[in-house]
Each structure stands twice: as structure tokens, then as C-alpha cells.
Amino acid sequence: DEAHHAPAQTWSAIITAFPSARSVLFTATPFRRDRKEIKGRYIYSYPIQRAFDDGIYGEMEFLPVAREEGTTGDVSLARATAKVVEEDRLAGLQHSLMVRAESVPRANELMKIYETETTLRLDVVHSGKSQKVVEKVIQRLREGELDGVICVNMLGEGFDFPKLKTAALHAPHRSLAVTLQFLGRFARVNAPGLGNAKF
């Protein structure tokens, strides 16, 4: 799985170490930004439209947030996000939140803003935290002790948590491919009590 990594040295070493074995590669991202070739023959393609038609992906809503006069864009976005989470809860939806930051210092800044401006229960996850700490935060999220997480490029590939339905994007992704993969993570409808993904 995640076969778009196949051109990487470690992946190539595994594939070439077994020259007589057949390899079947799966990926939801069949192209790379660096344009390196994913070697193989396409035998099956599942278009995104079919995922919507088959009910694997649900509707997505983009909710733009205007900066409130006399405050920052981050504060306005935090307040609007808290309102969306509250509305979803009142509607009986079991949604969790991801606040996206582009760096660890920004994640820590956003944590302070959300603590001051909202009543949301959040924690920060990033690669500077140990695996054990990150796992504990994710467990608290799964158990409903947290409303969401503030993330720095984590909980992406391979992370499966269908209740993650709301994203506050304090920083956009740098490429369309990563953005589409990110959106798809929130659009899944494979659990009960879920409504539309909201960005």
C-alpha cells in the first residue's frame, strides 16, 4: 500500500530483492510531485466520482471565514470552527476536528488561541513528540476526551478515523495532490453518525 513511495530507495530495494516475486502495488496517489515513475502496469483504476457514486465518499462543504474586524484571521477561524463543531454536535453528529498548522511553533500558537477563544478540548501532535505521546493523544481523541487535534503534517497516510470530519485550515497544503488526499480523508462515510465533511 502507499505505492507512490515505490521509487524511494528502501521500497526499490525490497521490490528488487525478490526478482521472481510478483508485486501488486496499491495507491490512492498514482503520481508523484517529483515526477519519478511508479513502475508497473495499471490494471485497475477507481475514479473519485465512482467513490462518490458508491457512497464511499460523502459531500464536502467549504465554509470560508472572513476575518472579524479588530481581530486576527486565526482568531476568527478558531471562533468559526468552534461554532461548526457545536452545530454538528447539536445535530447529533459524532465529528472530530483537525486544526492544520504548517509548523510546530504555529501549532503551539494556535493551541493558545483555541484555548483562549473557544471551549474546544484540543491537543497538539507533531513529529517532535514521541510515538507513545502521539498514540495517547489519538486514543483520547477516539474515546471522545478530545474534540480534536492540532496537527503538523501528521495523521495523513494510513490514518483511519472516520469521525475526523471537520478541518480548520490555518495553512493550506503546498500541492494539489496532497490537498486532494487530505480532503479524501475527511470525506469518508464508513461509520455511523457522520454528516458532511467541512473545511
Side-chain angles (χ1 to χ4, degrees):
D1 197 9
E2 308 296 351
H4 49 280
H5 295 303
Q9 192 173 12
T10 50
W11 270 73
S12 296
I14 290 170
I15 292 169
T16 57
F18 302 96
S20 61
R22 291 179 183 229
S23 299
V24 180
L25 307 177
F26 298 88
T27 181
T29 315
F31 50 87
R32 295 172 52 95
R33 278 190 304 175
D34 64 7
R35 299 182 186 205
K36 286 186 179 176
E37 180 185 8
I38 302 171
K39 292 185 179 172
R41 164 172 65 90
Y42 286 96
I43 59 170
Y44 184 75
S45 180
Y46 187 75
I48 260 190
Q49 184 58 52
R50 184 158 169 211
F52 283 104
D53 295 343
D54 290 346
I56 293 168
Y57 281 172
E59 295 296 317
M60 294 182 267
E61 297 178 42
F62 174 63
L63 307 171
V65 175
R67 186 174 63 82
E68 298 167 359
E69 193 171 327
T71 190
T72 66
D74 287 329
V75 169
S76 298
L77 184 51
R79 290 175 180 168
T81 299
K83 186 177 176 186
V84 167
V85 170
E86 180 63 23
E87 288 169 354
D88 283 352
R89 291 251 161 80
L90 290 173
L93 300 172
Q94 301 172 12
H95 291 178
S96 293
L97 165 70
M98 178 189 285
V99 177
R100 185 178 186 283
E102 76 274 12
S103 68
V104 173
R106 279 289 289 144
N108 294 331
E109 284 174 28
L110 291 172
M111 184 67 184
K112 289 176 187 170
I113 289 169
Y114 276 82
E115 285 176 336
T116 305
E117 300 294 333
T118 77
T119 58
L120 293 170
R121 300 165 301 159
L122 304 175
D123 206 339
V124 177
V125 291
H126 54 72
S127 59
K129 297 199 174 203
S130 72
Q131 183 68 24
K132 189 174 182 181
V133 168
V134 171
E135 285 172 4
K136 282 184 180 179
V137 171
I138 291 169
Q139 188 60 36
R140 289 174 60 213
L141 182 65
R142 289 185 191 279
E143 292 173 358
E145 292 176 28
L146 294 174
D147 297 312
V149 290
I150 299 175
C151 247
V152 182
N153 295 330
M154 290 196 71
L155 311 184
E157 286 182 3
F159 182 69
D160 186 31
F161 185 53
K163 291 182 182 180
L164 204 55
K165 296 297 283 182
T166 306
L169 303 173
H170 288 264
H173 290 89
R174 294 182 182 180
S175 78
L176 179 60
V178 176
T179 300
L180 292 174
Q181 190 173 43
F182 180 82
L183 297 176
R185 195 156 306 284
F186 288 79
R188 296 175 186 173
V189 292
N190 55 336
L194 299 180
N196 294 347
K198 295 178 182 174
F199 302 92

